Amino acid sequence: MSHPFEWLSLTSTELKEKLKELGEAPFRADQLLKWFCFGASPDEMTNIPKSLREKLSDREIGLLFYPQIVRKQQSSLDGTVKYLFEMYDGQLIESVVMKYEHGNTICVSTQAGCRMGCKFCASTLGGKVRDLSAGEILGQIISAQRDFGERISGVVMMGIGEPLDNYDNVMRFLSIVGSKDSLNIGYRHISLSTCGLVDKIEKLANENFPITLSISLHACCDEDRSRIMPVNNAWNIDKLLTACRKYFDKTGRRISFEYTLISGENDSVEQAKKLAQLIKKYFGSRPVHINLIPLNHVDERQFSAGSREDVKLFCDTLNSLHVNATVRRRLGPDIDASCGQLRHKASSNNDK
Ligand code: SAH
């Protein structure tokens, strides 16, 4: 599906061009970008002439849209806020704002739904409906920041969707979000998480965005990985880890691996040892970090999380073999803050 023309998807150079085309002064671009970052409607843009404000509201010209909050849940334990946003065409997606000591980080969605089919994940249950545009990814940060009332200084692309399956829009989003005229979020505070689309990882290595690449590995051998992640049939672990090593050698950016621990599937001590061997085989002494994530229960899936002790044992085994691993702190446990479930429930019940 092609997207309508959206103001929020433009880079500052493109916005200047667009203004010229509409017979407006290009210097208005800087003013407009400030208003866009604030999530302002045309009526609120007090220093913009009425003629231009009218053009911004004119659907024949284009769409100025910020994701609308349909539901909001706030954790009383750690301040995490989860938003269910509605897009211009009624699609629902989720974003989560997390408070860390070093600042607020948002987890954004990159697609409405997902077609990767990971067996433990809620986001893929209804398949992929459509890609999100660059402006819709940026818009999640803008709408959340406006509601949250504090600056958001970090982004993780770990919400609904596979970012590398929406490559061009995600690259466009990256070039806008880090630009000084826009939200000016530092690339070192941005992570992109992928289930392992190897051809796109190779492409990403040449883009020169100093972001953190996170790989959803979740298994220590092809047999285990193919069982839970269909993408492994297209690019197996050898292809994936070879691409990751090349990515590191090209960019110098430490790769981060995500490993969701699923009871009886991938969480034995034996599997931890195999994982350590695997990482050493491909990375040698290069720096790597493994993020262990205890599985979040998904009603429609039969998988469950192991005990706290199992998780600790898996982590300790990796560390004892000199592979750097930590267990991800679970934020917003009282609001079910992991992504995918709200969209799925709201879409299937049609209860907004
Ligand atoms: N498509 C991308 C990003 C979205 S998911 C990717 O696959 O990386 C973000 C992370 O959450 C991924 O590592 C994903 O595998 C993991 N995840 C999905 N469902 C989960 C669940 N039920 N419990 C724990 N982690 C889950």
Side-chain angles (χ1 to χ4, degrees):
M1 197 199 90
S2 70
H3 292 278
F5 164 77
E6 277 181 84
W7 290 96
L8 289 188
S9 291
L10 298 183
T11 62
S12 119
T13 317
E14 289 167 343
L15 182 55
K16 287 189 180 116
E17 284 304 312
K18 184 73 191 169
L19 289 171
K20 270 194 230 160
E21 203 182 286
L22 293 171
E24 299 285 341
F27 77 87
R28 297 282 177 205
D30 296 339
Q31 293 174 320
L32 281 184
L33 285 170
K34 287 204 180 81
W35 287 117
F36 293 167
C37 289
F38 178 66
S41 65
D43 310 339
E44 291 174 294
M45 301 180 179
T46 45
N47 60 356
I48 302 293
K50 191 151 174 276
S51 68
L52 177 51
R53 281 191 268 145
E54 278 168 5
K55 287 173 191 163
L56 293 171
S57 311
D58 187 344
R59 279 296 296 261
E60 298 276 303
I61 297 178
L63 183 62
L64 176 60
F65 181 83
Y66 306 101
Q68 301 294 302
I69 301 171
V70 177
R71 195 178 289 173
K72 175 180 166 184
Q73 291 173 297
Q74 180 147 23
S75 166
S76 52
L77 302 173
D78 55 35
T80 300
V81 181
K82 177 162 178 163
Y83 295 98
L84 181 67
F85 284 124
E86 182 168 345
M87 307 320 245
Y88 67 91
D89 62 350
Q91 278 305 313
L92 298 170
I93 55 108
E94 294 168 41
S95 318
V96 182
V97 179
M98 298 157 288
K99 275 171 116 60
Y100 290 106
E101 264 166 36
H102 56 267
N104 301 313
T105 289
I106 187 166
C107 173
V108 294
S109 295
T110 53
Q111 295 177 315
C114 183
R115 57 181 185 145
M116 294 298 128
C118 298
K119 296 281 189 283
F120 46 84
C121 180
S123 300
T124 198
L125 286 166
K128 179 185 111 170
V129 179
R130 67 171 177 85
D131 289 330
L132 298 184
S133 66
E136 288 179 306
I137 306 172
L138 192 78
Q140 296 168 54
I141 312 176
I142 292 170
S143 293
Q145 185 166 262
R146 182 165 183 164
D147 178 76
F148 200 71
E150 289 175 25
R151 178 170 150 80
I152 291 174
S153 55
V155 181
V156 294
M157 277 178 257
M158 293 188 184
I160 297 168
E162 167 50 52
L164 296 185
D165 186 40
N166 182 15
Y167 193 86
D168 293 344
N169 289 317
V170 166
M171 291 309 115
R172 173 174 277 276
F173 159 72
L174 283 174
S175 64
I176 299 172
V177 74
S179 115
K180 294 217 170 23
D181 316 311
S182 182
L183 291 175
N184 194 18
I185 296 181
Y187 289 111
R188 289 187 157 68
H189 303 287
I190 301 180
S191 298
L192 184 156
S193 177
T194 176
C195 64
L197 306 186
V198 166
D199 56 340
K200 301 290 167 35
I201 293 173
E202 287 166 354
K203 213 169 158 193
L204 184 67
N206 295 313
E207 302 278 357
N208 290 323
F209 289 120
I211 56 172
T212 299
L213 179 62
S214 288
I215 305 288
S216 296
L217 188 57
H218 305 327
C220 60
C221 64
D222 282 324
E223 196 193 339
D224 290 356
R225 194 164 191 265
S226 296
R227 208 164 48 234
I228 52 175
M229 299 180 73
V231 68
N232 201 62
N233 297 311
W235 290 284
N236 64 15
I237 291 184
D238 174 54
K239 291 189 178 124
L240 177 59
L241 295 186
T242 302
C244 290
R245 186 186 52 220
K246 283 192 191 145
Y247 184 92
F248 175 81
D249 290 342
K250 171 102 209 313
T251 64
R253 303 284 302 153
R254 179 180 81 161
I255 305 262
S256 165
F257 289 98
E258 289 153 276
Y259 194 104
T260 293
L261 289 160
I262 310 174
S263 179
E265 281 290 325
N266 63 359
D267 67 340
S268 72
V269 170
E270 209 42 52
Q271 284 159 319
K273 288 181 185 160
K274 270 171 108 176
L275 177 62
Q277 267 171 14
L278 185 71
I279 294 296
K280 280 189 195 150
K281 176 174 165 204
Y282 286 89
F283 286 89
S285 59
R286 294 168 181 85
V288 163
H289 180 254
I290 301 187
N291 243 315
L292 299 170
I293 315 168
L295 181 85
N296 284 303
H297 178 73
V298 175
D299 287 346
E300 289 79 358
R301 307 297 204 185
Q302 74 277 28
F303 297 120
S304 57
S307 66
R308 199 183 276 251
E309 290 72 37
D310 291 344
V311 172
K312 187 172 180 310
L313 185 58
F314 197 94
C315 188
D316 290 347
T317 307
L318 288 173
N319 284 319
S320 70
L321 295 167
H322 311 290
V323 173
N324 179 11
T326 49
V327 178
R328 181 175 295 168
R329 187 161 67 100
R330 216 178 146 213
L331 287 170
D334 52 335
I335 56 164
D336 200 6
S338 54
C339 271
Q341 309 219 31
L342 266 187
R343 169 186 156 82
H344 180 67
K345 283 179 192 148
S347 310
S348 44
N349 301 339
N350 220 356
D351 86 287
K352 282 188 209 152

